[in-house]
Amino acid sequence: SYCTSSTQKSGASAVPISEAYWLGTPDSEWKKYSSFVMRKFATPVPHSDSPPAHTVHVYNNLVLPSPAKQVFIVAHSYGGVCSGGLLRDPASFPDLQKRCPAVAFTDAINTITRRDAKDVRQFNKERVINWVAAPHPLDTPCGTDPDGGNEERSAGHTAHEWTSASCCSSVFKYFDDAASRGVSN
């Protein structure tokens, strides 16, 4: 859904998308890319039989051919399952290794396990942080995902639906720090 909490500011995707836009997308590139996206979705989207399949399709058809030098992912709740689909996809994963220095989960379901390929597990461990619902101040370490190996931190809120809004500033700091470091394979 578009708004998951009681206000547009705390529960809508528009706030982090707007913040990301103003952090560095030149206006002319944004307009050109927005037009491209609108043309792509004017017809039914194939390969959308499940949310992970849809995510892989969107990534491979919109993000993969884009000129973006870096790609960042924020995934809330079931978005973690969709992100796992990207990491397992043979077309998406090599691109993510090159262009995605950081992935932020907000109380997301992480489906990466010991059964996944070693490079997928390594990516997950080194580049994914999950801000989880917890009764601790924002960014308090909450351990490591037992299967995926990625770091978990407190989102600064105990309610699942509020985690994205309450950790937004930390997510963008994480992305800013990762952007300056770049990607190391």
Side-chain angles (χ1 to χ4, degrees):
S1 68
Y2 181 74
C3 184
T4 61
S5 300
S6 61
T7 69
Q8 287 291 326
K9 185 170 183 177
S10 65
S13 300
V15 174
I17 290 170
S18 175
E19 186 169 341
Y21 166 76
W22 291 111
L23 285 175
T25 306
D27 193 44
S28 61
E29 285 182 34
W30 179 256
K31 286 180 184 171
K32 185 169 76 174
Y33 186 68
S34 295
S35 174
F36 171 74
V37 170
M38 294 309 290
R39 286 193 313 274
K40 279 285 198 180
F41 288 109
T43 58
V45 180
H47 311 292
S48 293
D49 52 323
S50 70
H54 174 71
T55 302
V56 167
H57 176 78
V58 169
Y59 190 91
N60 290 342
N61 288 277
L62 296 177
V63 179
L64 197 74
S66 79
K69 292 189 180 11
Q70 292 184 317
V71 174
F72 297 87
I73 296 172
V74 178
H76 176 71
S77 194
Y78 197 79
V81 175
C82 298
S83 297
L86 278 178
L87 295 181
R88 292 182 188 100
D89 181 67
S92 306
F93 186 60
D95 186 67
L96 287 165
Q97 287 177 299
K98 292 177 194 162
R99 295 200 290 172
C100 183
V103 176
F105 282 177
T106 60
D107 216 22
I109 302 163
N110 190 348
T111 60
I112 302 303
T113 69
R114 294 178 189 111
R115 291 182 302 243
D116 283 297
K118 184 179 179 181
D119 54 349
V120 169
R121 292 191 324 266
Q122 194 67 27
F123 181 100
N124 188 71
K125 183 178 178 180
E126 293 174 357
R127 302 187 200 183
V128 176
I129 295 177
N130 192 2
W131 277 268
V132 297
H136 310 294
L138 179 62
D139 287 324
T140 300
C142 292
T144 303
D145 183 280
D147 287 323
N150 59 284
E151 179 183 350
E152 293 184 339
R153 298 180 185 176
S154 173
H157 207 287
T158 57
H160 171 75
E161 61 274 13
W162 286 93
T163 55
S164 296
S166 64
C167 70
C168 191
S169 61
S170 292
V171 166
F172 278 98
K173 182 181 180 330
Y174 171 55
F175 285 172
D176 190 45
D177 292 346
S180 64
R181 283 191 314 271
V183 177
S184 60
N185 289 329

